[in-house]
Amino acid sequence: MHIEAFREYCMAKPGTTEEMPFDEDTLVFKVCGKMYALCSISEYEKGIALKCDPETAVALREKYSQVRPGYHMNKLHWNTILPEAGLPDILLYSWIDESYRLVALKLTKAQKQSIGF
């Protein structure tokens, strides 16, 4: 998956904003102000970080060599995925969906209603 497809897919999710709160290279996607995905613009191929259920995170790392513990993230809840390392886009889309869902579940009732969740 190329960075343009990654960005477009994230931005199509309700309530999503893109920000660069850390530096001029790290692109962060948030739902109602809560981060669910991020990547380096200049080194996109080194990985996108996505939130993940802890048990699922470990299982994905064991099953796919392209999935690693979250780089500079809480490794219990975040995975880093090599997006240009041969995984099917449909799989990456499903992991983005799950990351978004996990974060949206923690939103307030009003925030959930504002995004139709």
Side-chain angles (χ1 to χ4, degrees), residues 17-107:
T17 57
E18 62 181 340
E19 301 176 17
M20 299 179 89
F22 304 118
D23 55 41
E24 295 178 4
D25 185 59
T26 306
L27 185 58
V28 176
F29 296 95
K30 296 180 177 184
V31 56
C32 296
K34 305 285 186 187
M35 181 170 58
Y36 72 89
L38 67 132
C39 70
S40 165
I41 295 171
S42 65
E43 297 182 311
Y44 175 73
E45 70 283 351
K46 290 189 176 181
I48 57 174
L50 298 172
K51 192 159 182 116
C52 193
D53 169 77
E55 290 179 18
T56 304
V58 172
L60 292 175
R61 293 174 203 160
E62 291 173 354
K63 185 173 182 177
Y64 301 100
S65 63
Q66 302 95 326
V67 180
R68 300 177 179 163
Y71 182 70
H72 288 304
M73 304 297 285
N74 179 329
K75 289 161 182 39
L76 182 65
H77 296 281
W78 289 83
N79 275 340
T80 295
I81 297 104
L82 304 178
E84 297 180 333
L87 291 169
D89 286 354
I90 192 80
L91 194 55
L92 293 170
Y93 290 141
S94 71
W95 292 342
I96 294 167
D97 292 344
E98 180 62 5
S99 182
Y100 177 90
R101 187 188 74 79
L102 288 170
V103 173
L105 282 172
K106 301 287 185 176
L107 298 175

